[in-house]
């Protein structure tokens, strides 16, 4: 598929996730086959103001390409200024967040609050298209609530304004992340626009990805929570889509190896103190389904150094090794 002039060689993308899809995790997922990655969401206004912490979110690196910077905001001029700053990170695309349901984002009229105003969505796309010389994509939801499921309308408005692709999270803002995603909305958007459509919501396995592609006609799938603690999902999706192979889940040695690699990269990019605080949640996700997971998760919540994680990983591996392999 192509997003504007950008060729994408796969159908499984890593979703932007605040507090999760940082450079380290994007590189891990890309290594397992994620065809496209996107930064954590970046405030256009904060970029415009020169906030250094915000600018660091745009550190894309070279190991997880192609990659987009995701901007959020609700004012066309500020979004254009943010896009110009974002171009300093040499993104392959700029993604506009029109789907975040967090109250601190929607209160300012940004994120999924934009679904209430398709005209403003179009203005934001046009402003960023004018400011940036890379494809502009948008991530939307089914709508604000059940009385305003207008994803197809918003997608058409964004396409007319110059968007090169649209990702659709198949829940309304009111639904947040709780009920099952309604993939019908992805199919409706696919039928409404001519640009690529990327489906999002409840892809937790290779079979889920294949079913979404088949049922909705979307061009690619966006994997979010299904990739947390499970970057192998991209490899599994690729194998299943290419020749119906069902890859086995990673063994305990692979799980701990990749977990250590992930957190090690985070330490390199952010410094050990900050990275190890954030690692506590990541480690908990890697532990899902393992023996004594609750006990190890409690201990992971107190991690403060990479050496402590290495020691804990050995215990996790020993406790979960097949008989005779400990």
């Amino acid at each position: 598929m192509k997003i504007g002039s950008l060729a994408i060689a796969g159908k499984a993308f890593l979703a932007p996730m605040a507090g999760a899809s940082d450079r380290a995790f994007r590189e891990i997922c890309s290594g397992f086959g994620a065809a496209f990655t996107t930064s954590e969401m970046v405030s256009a206004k904060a970029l415009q103001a020169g906030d250094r912490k915000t600018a660091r979110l745009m550190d894309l690196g070279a190991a997880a390409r192609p990659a987009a910077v995701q901007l959020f905001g609700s004012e066309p001029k500020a979004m254009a200024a943010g896009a110009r700053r974002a171009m300093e990170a040499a993104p392959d695309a700029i993604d506009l967040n029109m789907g975040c349901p967090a109250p601190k984002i929607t209160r300012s009229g940004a994120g999924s609050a934009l679904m209430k105003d398709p005209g403003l969505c179009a203005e934001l796309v046009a402003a960023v298209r004018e400011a940036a010389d890379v494809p502009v994509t948008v991530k939307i939801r089914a709508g604000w609530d059940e009385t305003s499921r207008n994803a197809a309308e918003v997608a058409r408005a964004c396409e007319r304004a110059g968007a090169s692709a649209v990702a659709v999270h198949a829940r309304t803002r009111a639904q947040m992340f709780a009920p099952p995603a309604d993939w019908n909305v992805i199919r409706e958007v696919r039928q409404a626009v001519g640009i690529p459509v990327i489906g999002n919501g409840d892809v937790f396995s290779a079979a889920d990805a294949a079913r979404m592609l088949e049922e909705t006609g979307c061009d690619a799938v966006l994997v979010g929570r299904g990739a947390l603690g499970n970057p192998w999902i991209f490899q599994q999706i690729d194998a299943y889509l290419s020749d119906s192979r069902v890859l086995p889940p990673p063994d305990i040695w692979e799980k701990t190896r990749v977990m250590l690699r992930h957190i090690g990269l985070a330490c390199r990019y952010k410094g050990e103190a900050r990275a190890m605080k954030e690692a506590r949640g990541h480690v908990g996700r890697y532990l899902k389904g393992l023996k004594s997971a609750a006990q190890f998760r409690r201990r992971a919540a107190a991690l403060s150094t990479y050496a402590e994680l290495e020691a804990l990983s050995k215990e996790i591996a020993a406790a979960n090794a097949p008989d005779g392999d400990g």
Side-chain angles (χ1 to χ4, degrees):
M1 63 177 286
K2 279 195 167 186
I3 294 178
S5 60
L6 183 64
I8 310 293
K11 290 185 176 292
F13 297 6
L14 174 65
M17 293 176 283
S21 60
D22 60 6
R23 179 178 174 181
F25 191 56
R26 294 195 304 270
E27 290 185 4
I28 291 293
C29 290
S30 184
F32 282 104
F36 193 86
T37 67
T38 305
S39 74
E40 300 171 79
M41 61 181 181
V42 176
S43 166
K45 275 193 170 181
L47 275 184
Q48 190 179 15
D51 182 76
R52 292 182 182 179
K53 183 178 178 182
T54 299
R56 283 196 294 268
L57 294 174
M58 300 191 303
D59 183 10
L60 298 179
R65 297 284 184 154
V69 167
Q70 187 184 73
L71 297 178
F72 77 90
S74 59
E75 300 172 9
K77 287 184 178 179
M79 289 289 273
R84 285 189 285 270
R85 286 292 312 277
M87 288 304 298
E88 296 172 11
D92 298 293
I94 291 181
D95 186 57
L96 307 188
N97 185 312
M98 301 180 183
C100 179
K104 67 179 181 180
I105 303 298
T106 59
R107 275 195 295 265
S108 66
S112 54
L114 291 167
M115 297 296 296
K116 299 177 183 180
D117 191 343
L120 178 55
C121 292
E123 288 181 39
L124 294 174
V125 170
V128 173
R129 283 284 293 126
E130 181 69 23
D133 58 1
V134 295
V136 175
T137 63
V138 297
K139 186 170 188 287
I140 66 176
R141 281 194 167 233
W144 177 255
D145 56 27
E146 284 301 314
T147 67
S148 57
R149 295 171 65 90
N150 63 343
E153 179 187 359
V154 171
R156 282 193 296 265
C158 290
E159 180 183 31
R160 287 194 296 268
S164 294
V166 56
V168 186
H169 184 135
R171 293 181 178 90
T172 65
R173 188 271 179 179
Q175 291 175 312
M176 302 293 281
F177 300 97
D182 179 6
W183 292 354
N184 289 322
V185 70
I186 300 171
R187 185 173 63 249
E188 291 167 7
V189 173
R190 173 63 285 169
Q191 294 170 348
V193 299
I195 55 177
V197 173
I198 301 100
N200 179 226
D202 291 352
V203 175
F204 294 102
S205 69
D208 290 339
R211 188 166 61 86
M212 176 182 278
L213 289 163
E214 175 67 23
E215 291 183 7
T216 70
C218 65
D219 301 277
V221 297
L222 193 63
V223 185
R225 291 175 295 161
L228 296 176
N230 183 31
W232 302 273
I233 191 171
F234 298 101
Q235 189 179 64
Q236 293 162 352
I237 290 172
D238 284 346
Y240 193 85
L241 294 180
S242 63
D243 53 16
S244 301
R245 278 184 301 141
V246 178
L247 297 182
D251 61 25
I252 187 58
W253 313 112
E254 171 73 353
K255 274 206 165 192
T256 52
R257 180 189 72 81
V258 171
M259 178 178 72
L260 287 170
R261 168 74 174 156
H262 175 181
I263 306 308
L265 286 172
C267 289
R268 181 191 304 175
Y269 298 142
K270 300 180 177 183
E272 186 177 48
R274 179 182 168 197
M276 291 310 301
K277 271 188 179 179
E278 297 176 1
R280 297 165 185 171
H282 284 297
V283 172
R285 298 178 190 114
Y286 280 106
L287 290 170
K288 185 177 179 181
L290 296 182
K291 293 177 187 175
S292 305
Q295 171 196 333
F296 287 126
R297 196 173 287 115
R298 284 193 294 271
R299 292 175 61 187
L303 288 169
S304 59
T305 69
Y306 187 75
E308 290 172 355
L309 176 61
E310 289 180 307
L312 182 62
S313 296
K314 290 178 181 177
E315 291 187 48
I316 293 168
N320 285 272
D323 291 343
D325 289 350

